[in-house]
Amino acid sequence: ALGFLFLVGLLDGFALPLYSRLLAEKEQLGRALGKAFFWDYGGALVASLSFPFIFYPYLGILKTSFLCGLANTFAALAIFFLVYQRKIILSQKTSFWLKAGVVIALLLNLIGFIKVSKIEPILQNNLYGRKEILFHQQSPYQEITFIKEQNGAIRLYLNGSLQFESGLWDASYHESLVHPAFAINPEAKNVLVLGGGDGLALREVLKYPQVKSVTLVDIDKKMVEAASQLDFMKAINQRSFEDKKVKVVFQDGLKFVGKTPEKYDIVIIDFPDATDDSLARLYSQEFYFWLGDILTKKGIAAIQSAGFLMPPQRVILKTLEATNLSTLSYHNPNKDLLTGLYSFGFTLASRQPISKDDFLEQKITVPTRVLRSENLADIFTNY
């Protein structure tokens, strides 16, 4: 894949010198270069804005790829037929194969663009190991795919990245994310969930009868709709979105935390890992400053922190400490018995000092599958 990208970039690098050369035949080189750079940067601006706001949300990545292929093929046709045929004398055989190559590329991209609905399932089957695809949808923000494993487990992929698997993974992850915060703040009544559009963290929060209000903030309406309408997801999240205590807000988490006047007893942060700039904002010092502002005096935040004490979690801990919040890292129960994808890291953050000793006598008062009162204190560590 990297080799292919390098080849595309290398060939694309010829475009600007070629365009400049063509313009220089009709006017001075300085003016030709000025025009070439103007249209190059102008085209880059249009493309960089139209891709995330128009093409990707409404066409998806595959259809957009074929559309870009069509645009480039038409450009090649224009240059070949309008320019080079007048300037370069080619043999009949070479001319035939050049024309044939451009026409074949045009047809392939055109067929791909029209038949993308039939091509996409084939590619998805190859990507997900030929498992049963229960649901697939392109939202303005991500590609949402639910698949069913051979053992019956349901998996969620966002942009091809695995997010959760029903069963042991679900229980180990979401119980660890939610219940330690409630163990140390058992009287919490007003709860905020950031991310978590699958409704699984929400399911755990709603186990506590003392909770009076839960606000879930997720930027992707399509994700929440899928989790609240698909029968297999309603069975997994126990219809958590139908609870009258729940209020769903479709907004960027950073903007919500920066503007909300509310104070929360517990904040559950279930964002994806910071794999790009837009997600990295949700792990920034600015975000954590605002997080501290919306916590009540005894409030506590539980933050999904990738792998336990791996570099991403250590960065989160250092960033939180820079905002003068007290932190405590922890992992899921029996992490040494679970390998690979089951080694989760979490971080508690509070305006008041917190330590492992605070959990020695605490109890989990609701039904759980993996995290229990007897192993609660064992999941915490000092770093």
Side-chain angles (χ1 to χ4, degrees):
L2 291 176
F4 180 74
L5 288 175
F6 175 79
L7 179 61
V8 171
L10 181 66
L11 294 175
D12 188 58
F14 288 109
L16 189 58
L18 175 62
Y19 184 47
S20 302
R21 175 76 176 182
L22 294 174
L23 289 176
E25 294 180 355
K26 295 183 178 181
E27 52 190 305
Q28 292 182 348
L29 180 60
R31 291 175 58 85
L33 288 174
K35 282 187 177 182
F37 281 113
F38 171 81
W39 288 109
D40 181 59
Y41 286 115
L45 176 63
V46 171
S48 63
L49 291 177
S50 59
F51 178 78
F53 294 111
I54 300 175
F55 295 123
Y56 182 73
Y58 297 103
L59 297 181
I61 188 67
L62 190 57
K63 206 167 189 177
T64 299
S65 298
F66 284 120
L67 183 63
C68 291
L70 282 171
N72 281 280
T73 307
F74 280 121
L77 282 170
I79 290 176
F80 182 75
F81 286 104
L82 299 180
V83 179
Y84 275 105
Q85 286 211 119
R86 301 197 307 264
K87 297 180 179 298
I88 300 177
I89 299 175
L90 300 173
S91 67
Q92 186 175 1
K93 185 178 180 180
T94 302
S95 179
F96 169 78
W97 284 113
L98 280 174
K99 292 177 182 178
V102 174
V103 170
I104 290 172
L106 176 65
L107 290 175
L108 288 175
N109 281 284
L110 184 60
I111 293 171
F113 185 81
I114 296 173
K115 300 292 185 180
V116 69
S117 60
K118 294 184 178 180
I119 298 173
E120 200 166 35
I122 298 174
L123 297 177
Q124 289 171 356
N125 284 331
N126 291 331
L127 177 63
Y128 302 120
R130 300 189 180 277
K131 306 292 174 54
E132 180 183 359
I133 298 176
L134 301 176
F135 177 85
H136 175 77
Q137 186 177 44
Q138 176 68 55
S139 81
Y141 304 98
Q142 56 201 351
E143 187 181 60
I144 304 167
T145 307
F146 288 97
I147 70 166
K148 186 176 182 178
E149 292 287 314
Q150 293 179 349
N151 61 2
I154 306 297
R155 284 188 169 191
L156 167 63
Y157 289 85
L158 298 179
N159 293 333
S161 178
L162 182 59
Q163 301 299 306
F164 86 84
E165 178 183 294
S166 61
L168 179 61
W169 182 345
D170 169 23
S172 181
Y173 175 87
H174 291 99
E175 289 177 6
S176 300
L177 176 63
V178 172
H179 298 303
F182 276 93
I184 200 172
N185 193 2
E187 303 302 320
K189 294 180 173 59
N190 193 19
V191 179
L192 173 64
V193 179
L194 297 172
D198 51 27
L200 301 178
L202 190 59
R203 174 198 66 198
E204 299 300 317
V205 170
L206 292 172
K207 291 180 178 180
Y208 293 90
Q210 72 271 21
V211 172
K212 303 300 181 185
S213 174
V214 187
T215 301
L216 184 140
V217 179
D218 197 294
I219 196 172
D220 196 343
K221 186 176 182 180
K222 297 294 184 181
M223 180 68 249
V224 174
E225 288 177 349
S228 59
Q229 296 174 8
L230 296 172
D231 289 339
F232 61 86
M233 278 305 297
K234 290 193 288 186
I236 298 173
N237 62 36
Q238 299 177 9
R239 299 178 178 269
S240 55
F241 288 103
E242 299 175 13
D243 196 293
K244 295 181 180 180
K245 299 176 184 178
V246 176
K247 175 186 176 182
V248 179
V249 178
F250 298 110
Q251 189 178 352
D252 177 78
L254 180 66
K255 293 181 179 179
F256 180 88
V257 171
K259 294 180 179 180
T260 181
E262 290 283 332
K263 298 287 185 180
Y264 297 93
D265 301 310
I266 288 178
V267 178
I268 305 296
I269 301 178
D270 194 15
F271 293 139
D273 294 339
T275 54
D276 56 45
D277 291 343
S278 62
L279 290 170
R281 296 162 53 249
L282 303 174
Y283 293 84
S284 64
Q285 187 170 317
E286 179 184 29
F287 175 80
Y288 291 140
F289 267 123
W290 288 340
L291 176 64
D293 289 340
I294 67 171
L295 290 173
T296 59
K297 184 177 180 180
K298 295 183 179 180
I300 191 164
I303 305 167
Q304 185 282 124
S305 305
F308 175 62
L309 289 186
M310 297 298 287
Q313 184 172 31
R314 293 186 181 276
V315 171
I316 290 171
L317 289 165
K318 294 295 184 183
T319 308
L320 283 165
E321 290 176 356
T323 64
N324 295 319
L325 291 173
S326 180
T327 63
L328 184 63
S329 60
Y330 67 101
H331 52 75
N332 53 311
N334 302 322
K335 77 173 186 68
D336 294 329
L337 302 179
L338 303 170
T339 59
L341 297 173
Y342 292 104
S343 182
F344 304 124
F346 307 91
T347 305
L348 291 179
S350 175
R351 295 168 59 187
Q352 296 185 340
I354 50 175
S355 69
K356 176 180 178 179
D357 294 340
D358 296 329
F359 292 86
L360 295 176
E361 303 298 329
Q362 302 299 333
K363 303 293 182 182
I364 296 176
T365 59
V366 298
T368 55
R369 292 179 57 190
V370 177
L371 182 62
R372 304 183 184 280
S373 298
E374 54 267 27
N375 62 13
L376 176 61
D378 296 335
I379 67 176
F380 294 95
T381 184
N382 297 317
Y383 73 98

